[in-house]
Amino acid sequence: MNTKKRNLRWDTMRILAGGFLGTIFLGAFLLWLPICNNEPITFLDSLFTSTTAVCVTGLVTIVPATQFTLLGKVILLLLIQIGGLGIIACTTGFFILIKKKITISERVIISETYSSDGPGGMVKMVRRAVLGTFFVEAVGAAVYACYFIPHYGVINGIGYSVFHSISAFCNAGIDILGSTSFAEFVHNPLININTMLLIILGGIGFIVWFDIVDNGKRIRKHEVPKKWWFTRLNLHSKIALTTTAIMLVAGTLAILFFEYNNPETMGKFSVGDKIMSAAFQSVTTRTAGYFTLPQNVLHNETKLFGAIWMFIGGSPGGTAGGIKTTTIAMLVLTAIAVIRGGEDTECFGRKISKSNFRTGFAVSLLAMIIYLVGTMAIVMIESDSVPVIDIIYETASASGTVGLTANLTPNLQKTSQIVLIGMMYLGRIGPLTFALVFGGRRHAASQIRELPERNILVG
Amino acid sequence: MNTKKRNLRWDTMRILAGGFLGTIFLGAFLLWLPICNNEPITFLDSLFTSTTAVCVTGLVTIVPATQFTLLGKVILLLLIQIGGLGIIACTTGFFILIKKKITISERVIISETYSSDGPGGMVKMVRRAVLGTFFVEAVGAAVYACYFIPHYGVINGIGYSVFHSISAFCNAGIDILGSTSFAEFVHNPLININTMLLIILGGIGFIVWFDIVDNGKRIRKHEVPKKWWFTRLNLHSKIALTTTAIMLVAGTLAILFFEYNNPETMGKFSVGDKIMSAAFQSVTTRTAGYFTLPQNVLHNETKLFGAIWMFIGGSPGGTAGGIKTTTIAMLVLTAIAVIRGGEDTECFGRKISKSNFRTGFAVSLLAMIIYLVGTMAIVMIESDSVPVIDIIYETASASGTVGLTANLTPNLQKTSQIVLIGMMYLGRIGPLTFALVFGGRRHAASQIRELPERNILVG
Ligand SMILES: [K+]
Ligand SMILES: [K+]
């Protein structure tokens, strides 16, 4: 049983890591074909683009709008959608479509990925996630269309609407408008609000969706009262929602405070547009990658703040990157528990298990090490004239799969770009597989022996 | 009992925090007096200098060599010595000197500070620490004198020897030679090796000293065999020694690799001098603050690497700053334990208790938050033209009480300097008091209730 469980964990990791890698190289090959390109492309550029799409990051070394033909753009969109839903959900969705009975082993893998209550409702759950994704993306595209069709004609308008809705929901942040992302829509509330909602919905994770929807159903059926609906959500949803809300509001206020008088960003805007652009920047920084404000002229403090927010990222089980909202909440709550003298990490009247905390801590430390090593490497490769703050911004963006850029990525050395490819890949699959493969494991030795305990001095 | 214990913890914190603060302001007042100064000084500069001395940091806004009179330099040296030994050890030493019987409550406070086995051998232990400090400082001064007396005459030579021996051992890194620290001795093995040994001995902590000395005594008395002496040290000593050795060697290699061909630092040196200057930089980066290589022209990667090393710092129970070697070792070992699937953080055949790990984690998170908030504040205060990497280096230096500087501190805005004062103070007393006051606490509520346990998704 133990060996079986262990093998399952390794299988999970192999499928995730190998699936992502295979998709990336397949995509790189396809995007490298002349039929996909309007102008010649190096394999490194097509590999970078495929990685950025599958890992839903958004950093680019080329300009997709002009680089790719229609076919290239369709392939790019498919890579984004595959990356966003996750290899496993796609595989399962594929199984469902061809009505092949899903094996128990595959069910368990998906169960671990989306942490539901067992392999029972698994197929149903993946179908819900896939259908939910398509539904939200369709609504988002319809809203975009209200602006894009009048402005770009029917054919182009629909194309733009579908592409950017999928890219926003999957938190990919890749656009086919040009090289300034959503900057031209900085004063347009429709595009701003629609994009923010798509990003937030994609970044909050399926578990939270399902929890809210199921809770809503029970309220509609009068099985439970409407009052206190929040307290009936599971602990994961409560923490993800609360942390997301805190980070969005705090981020908006911080960016507003830092950039209020910056003439190169929002300095000359009306107060309303200042707030809207700060809110957009706050939403996009967490994981999305679209931008309305030029990123390279942000103040240094905004970039540093952004790098921290990018490192934390969105919520698990969705399309977001970073160490995740729930992880940072758990770390902070544990520090508070230590200060208060509690044995347990407490939250909303529940305690979080010690092994859960240890997994979250290990995920964070690993992410920190990947981030620091990658940043060190690029700082070393580039000359001292490249501002370190821009490298910090770019590597946080890559490892948090965010995609915001201080206009640095296209101008980096080839070796630095390869480091960024590695960071995007590890940033996307690292925390997830780490939590899946190692979370709650117990190796055989620890069950049969007991070591003497010692304390050491800290601090 | 519980309330009493709790009060004791708060008393400990008050004494430490208040004692440091009182000494800092007293020192600032004395250093501000015209009799101590060759040229006019602002109170902010004297406050900064007093803080840097008491917190054994070494960042300066003025040049001590030319700013202060002989009396000023003596006061500066006393502040360094007081800071290095710790307010509490000094207070106790004072009690011993005047033969006043130490109260039980005071004994317990010191016991917690130096984590010995109870209030029994406390007075003895503090006396040993104080005497050991004076002994090592005397030997260090004697070695310096072999160079300083022939070069600067008897009076000045003795003064320089005593000052720099104390300053090196206390890891203060403040010099009275000029504004380029030990740069003129970069090719001098005697000064280099003596300084490195003083720094390492001061930074390893009294606990490790006592452990090694006691172990050595038992070996000399043939109570235990010489073989396997390392395995008989306590877990704390083993971890502190091993981590220190790893960090020193890795740091030397990294700096050698980064700076090997930098013409502005060691590029033109002989291979031997390259290794010596890299080793010196590695030793000083951990916590000391003296330098032989110019710091502002180090490559960006060396500065970033240095900031990480400064954040980690030296070992507990000594004169070093940072989150400490034992803490980082514990964090890394815990991550390894999670990956290996073990329930416990293991090391040298012992396990580290879960509450010990939680305290170490909380200390590190708190240090990280202080570091990030302080850095954000200074990045915000300074204009975008100040390189962020230099600010990162400077704030890591302040909060790790290191004292290395990219020539930035004297040129910062007054408000930034006040932020640095706060970071030096919190960096010096923060981890220590935090670990003392909150380590292993249990609040009353957690003993009478048991919350339901839930897991949340991470990564
Ligand atoms: K993204
Ligand atoms: K120092």
Side-chain angles (χ1 to χ4, degrees):
Chain A
M1 179 58 207
N2 204 40
T3 320
K4 215 171 177 181
K5 210 169 170 188
R6 182 181 170 157
N7 284 345
L8 245 174
R9 288 174 182 279
W10 285 105
D11 287 347
T12 310
M13 185 164 83
R14 265 212 306 278
I15 291 177
L16 265 168
F20 266 85
L21 205 62
T23 313
I24 287 170
F25 274 94
L26 179 65
F29 173 73
L30 294 174
L31 289 177
W32 178 66
L33 297 174
I35 195 172
C36 290
N37 291 278
N38 289 320
E39 42 203 276
I41 190 168
T42 64
F43 186 74
L44 181 61
D45 282 337
S46 74
L47 179 64
F48 198 99
T49 312
S50 178
T51 309
T52 210
V54 175
C55 299
V56 291
T57 306
L59 291 173
V60 284
T61 52
I62 45 86
V63 180
T66 50
Q67 176 70 46
F68 295 117
T69 59
L70 179 61
L71 180 63
K73 284 169 187 160
V74 170
I75 290 171
L76 189 62
L77 188 60
L78 285 175
L79 292 174
I80 293 170
Q81 185 74 84
I82 291 171
L85 277 176
I87 298 289
I88 293 196
C90 284
T91 316
T92 321
F94 178 68
F95 276 123
I96 296 167
L97 284 178
I98 59 165
K99 311 267 182 202
K100 179 179 177 300
K101 194 169 159 35
I102 195 164
T103 67
I104 289 294
S105 134
E106 282 156 355
R107 281 182 199 225
V108 177
I109 290 169
I110 300 154
S111 165
E112 300 222 351
T113 311
Y114 292 113
S115 184
S116 99
D117 308 299
M122 197 44 45
V123 172
K124 205 177 131 216
M125 189 169 146
V126 174
R127 186 162 44 196
R128 276 181 84 182
V130 173
L131 290 178
T133 299
F134 290 150
F135 175 73
V136 177
E137 287 172 349
V139 173
V143 176
Y144 275 137
C146 302
Y147 178 87
F148 284 136
I149 291 181
H151 282 76
Y152 299 97
V154 176
I155 303 291
N156 271 340
I158 291 176
Y160 282 4
S161 301
V162 171
F163 192 99
H164 295 109
S165 179
I166 293 178
S167 184
F169 180 80
C170 293
N171 280 217
I174 299 170
D175 70 274
I176 50 171
L177 295 163
S179 59
T180 56
S181 190
F182 280 26
E184 59 177 303
F185 310 126
V186 65
H187 302 293
N188 183 328
L190 182 83
I191 303 275
N192 268 273
I193 292 169
N194 191 43
T195 310
M196 284 194 266
L197 286 177
L198 285 168
I199 293 170
I200 293 172
L201 282 174
I204 198 78
F206 297 126
I207 331 269
V208 178
W209 285 22
F210 295 155
D211 199 19
I212 291 178
V213 168
D214 291 344
N215 207 19
K217 273 184 191 162
R218 281 200 301 275
I219 290 173
R220 253 203 320 284
K221 285 182 192 164
H222 299 287
E223 289 172 15
V224 292
K226 197 171 176 181
K227 225 172 133 186
W228 308 119
W229 69 271
F230 185 78
T231 57
R232 259 189 314 274
L233 295 178
N234 64 45
L235 182 62
H236 175 85
S237 307
K238 286 182 198 165
I239 296 181
L241 287 170
T242 311
T243 314
T244 301
I246 292 172
M247 286 185 68
L248 288 179
V249 173
T252 305
L253 294 176
I255 292 160
L256 202 58
F257 178 66
F258 295 148
E259 296 292 322
Y260 200 85
N261 289 318
N262 186 345
E264 300 193 80
T265 58
M266 63 173 74
K268 292 164 186 158
F269 293 0
S270 69
V271 174
D273 281 3
K274 281 182 196 218
I275 294 171
M276 186 165 78
S277 61
F280 192 93
Q281 178 74 17
S282 174
V283 170
T284 198
T285 298
R286 301 266 316 296
T287 187
Y290 282 139
F291 58 89
T292 55
L293 298 174
Q295 301 292 301
N296 57 326
V297 290
L298 290 170
H299 282 315
N300 285 341
E301 57 269 29
T302 316
K303 288 179 186 166
L304 188 58
F305 178 84
I308 299 168
W309 247 224
M310 294 195 266
F311 185 80
I312 297 172
S315 302
T319 52
I323 62 165
K324 308 293 179 321
T325 52
T326 46
T327 312
I328 192 78
M330 180 198 271
L331 299 185
V332 171
L333 289 168
T334 302
I336 292 172
V338 171
I339 293 175
R340 292 188 61 234
E343 282 257 298
D344 298 308
T345 306
E346 297 175 14
C347 192
F348 294 115
R350 299 285 178 274
K351 68 180 184 187
I352 294 169
S353 76
K354 290 198 172 57
S355 81
N356 199 182
F357 162 65
R358 281 158 61 92
T359 307
F361 160 76
V363 165
S364 310
L365 185 64
L366 198 82
M368 178 69 90
I369 291 171
I370 292 173
Y371 176 69
L372 289 177
V373 170
T375 306
M376 281 292 301
I378 295 182
V379 170
M380 204 182 73
I381 293 164
E382 302 296 321
S383 86
D384 283 355
S385 61
V386 177
V388 172
I389 183 68
D390 286 349
I391 296 176
I392 286 174
Y393 199 67
E394 220 77 4
T395 49
S397 179
S399 67
T401 70
V402 177
L404 292 176
T405 171
N407 285 3
L408 198 62
T409 297
N411 305 316
L412 289 175
Q413 308 282 334
K414 298 287 169 219
T415 32
S416 296
Q417 292 181 349
I418 292 169
V419 173
L420 282 183
I421 289 176
M423 291 182 84
M424 291 193 282
Y425 178 71
L426 289 176
R428 182 62 186 147
I429 70 148
L432 179 64
T433 52
F434 190 89
L436 290 183
V437 177
F438 302 114
R441 260 185 78 200
R442 279 202 82 175
H443 70 84
S446 75
Q447 285 160 5
I448 52 167
R449 65 180 176 159
E450 190 69 24
L451 295 174
E453 190 169 283
R454 294 284 181 279
N455 282 328
I456 62 174
L457 277 187
V458 295
Chain B
M1 178 59 207
N2 206 41
T3 319
K4 214 170 176 181
K5 209 169 171 187
R6 183 182 170 158
N7 283 346
L8 244 173
R9 288 175 182 279
W10 284 106
D11 285 349
T12 310
M13 186 164 84
R14 265 210 307 277
I15 291 177
L16 264 169
F20 266 85
L21 205 62
T23 312
I24 287 171
F25 273 93
L26 179 65
F29 172 74
L30 293 174
L31 289 177
W32 176 67
L33 297 174
I35 195 172
C36 291
N37 290 277
N38 290 321
E39 41 203 277
I41 191 167
T42 64
F43 187 73
L44 181 62
D45 282 337
S46 75
L47 179 64
F48 198 99
T49 311
S50 178
T51 309
T52 209
V54 175
C55 299
V56 290
T57 305
L59 290 174
V60 284
T61 52
I62 44 83
V63 180
T66 50
Q67 175 70 45
F68 296 116
T69 59
L70 179 62
L71 179 64
K73 283 169 188 160
V74 170
I75 290 173
L76 189 62
L77 188 60
L78 284 176
L79 292 174
I80 293 171
Q81 186 74 84
I82 291 170
L85 278 176
I87 298 290
I88 293 194
C90 285
T91 315
T92 321
F94 179 69
F95 277 122
I96 295 168
L97 285 177
I98 60 165
K99 310 265 180 203
K100 178 180 177 303
K101 194 169 160 32
I102 194 163
T103 67
I104 289 292
S105 135
E106 280 157 355
R107 282 181 198 225
V108 177
I109 289 168
I110 300 153
S111 164
E112 300 223 351
T113 311
Y114 293 114
S115 185
S116 99
D117 308 299
M122 196 43 45
V123 172
K124 205 178 132 217
M125 188 169 148
V126 173
R127 186 161 45 196
R128 275 181 84 182
V130 174
L131 291 178
T133 299
F134 290 150
F135 174 73
V136 176
E137 287 172 349
V139 173
V143 176
Y144 276 137
C146 303
Y147 177 88
F148 284 137
I149 291 181
H151 282 76
Y152 298 97
V154 175
I155 302 292
N156 271 340
I158 291 176
Y160 282 4
S161 301
V162 170
F163 191 99
H164 295 109
S165 179
I166 292 178
S167 183
F169 180 80
C170 293
N171 281 215
I174 299 170
D175 69 275
I176 50 170
L177 295 163
S179 60
T180 56
S181 192
F182 279 27
E184 60 177 303
F185 310 127
V186 65
H187 303 293
N188 183 328
L190 182 83
I191 301 276
N192 268 272
I193 292 169
N194 192 42
T195 311
M196 284 193 267
L197 285 177
L198 285 168
I199 293 170
I200 293 171
L201 282 174
I204 199 76
F206 298 126
I207 331 267
V208 178
W209 285 22
F210 296 155
D211 200 19
I212 291 177
V213 169
D214 291 344
N215 207 19
K217 273 185 192 161
R218 282 201 300 275
I219 290 173
R220 254 202 322 283
K221 286 182 190 163
H222 299 287
E223 288 172 16
V224 292
K226 196 173 177 181
K227 225 170 132 187
W228 307 119
W229 68 272
F230 185 78
T231 57
R232 261 189 313 277
L233 295 178
N234 66 42
L235 182 62
H236 175 85
S237 307
K238 286 182 198 167
I239 296 180
L241 287 170
T242 312
T243 314
T244 301
I246 292 173
M247 285 185 68
L248 289 178
V249 173
T252 305
L253 294 177
I255 292 160
L256 203 57
F257 179 66
F258 295 148
E259 296 291 323
Y260 201 84
N261 289 318
N262 187 345
E264 299 193 81
T265 57
M266 64 174 75
K268 292 164 186 157
F269 292 2
S270 70
V271 174
D273 281 4
K274 281 182 197 219
I275 294 171
M276 187 165 76
S277 61
F280 192 93
Q281 179 73 17
S282 174
V283 170
T284 198
T285 298
R286 301 266 315 296
T287 188
Y290 282 141
F291 58 89
T292 55
L293 298 174
Q295 303 291 301
N296 57 327
V297 290
L298 290 171
H299 282 314
N300 285 341
E301 57 268 29
T302 315
K303 288 179 186 166
L304 189 57
F305 178 84
I308 298 168
W309 247 224
M310 293 195 265
F311 184 79
I312 297 172
S315 302
T319 52
I323 61 165
K324 308 293 180 317
T325 52
T326 47
T327 312
I328 191 78
M330 180 199 272
L331 298 185
V332 171
L333 289 169
T334 303
I336 291 172
V338 172
I339 292 176
R340 293 188 60 235
E343 283 257 296
D344 298 308
T345 305
E346 298 175 14
C347 192
F348 294 115
R350 299 286 178 273
K351 68 179 185 187
I352 294 168
S353 76
K354 291 199 171 56
S355 81
N356 199 182
F357 163 64
R358 282 159 60 92
T359 307
F361 160 77
V363 166
S364 310
L365 186 63
L366 199 83
M368 179 68 90
I369 291 171
I370 292 172
Y371 176 68
L372 288 177
V373 170
T375 307
M376 281 291 302
I378 294 183
V379 170
M380 205 183 73
I381 293 163
E382 302 297 321
S383 86
D384 284 355
S385 62
V386 177
V388 173
I389 184 69
D390 287 348
I391 297 176
I392 286 175
Y393 200 67
E394 220 77 4
T395 48
S397 179
S399 67
T401 70
V402 177
L404 292 176
T405 170
N407 285 2
L408 197 61
T409 297
N411 306 315
L412 289 174
Q413 308 282 333
K414 298 287 170 219
T415 33
S416 296
Q417 292 181 349
I418 292 169
V419 173
L420 282 182
I421 290 176
M423 291 181 85
M424 291 193 283
Y425 178 71
L426 290 176
R428 182 64 186 147
I429 69 148
L432 180 63
T433 51
F434 190 89
L436 290 183
V437 177
F438 302 114
R441 260 184 78 202
R442 280 203 82 177
H443 70 83
S446 75
Q447 285 160 6
I448 52 166
R449 64 176 178 161
E450 190 68 26
L451 293 174
E453 190 168 285
R454 293 284 181 279
N455 282 328
I456 62 173
L457 277 186
V458 295

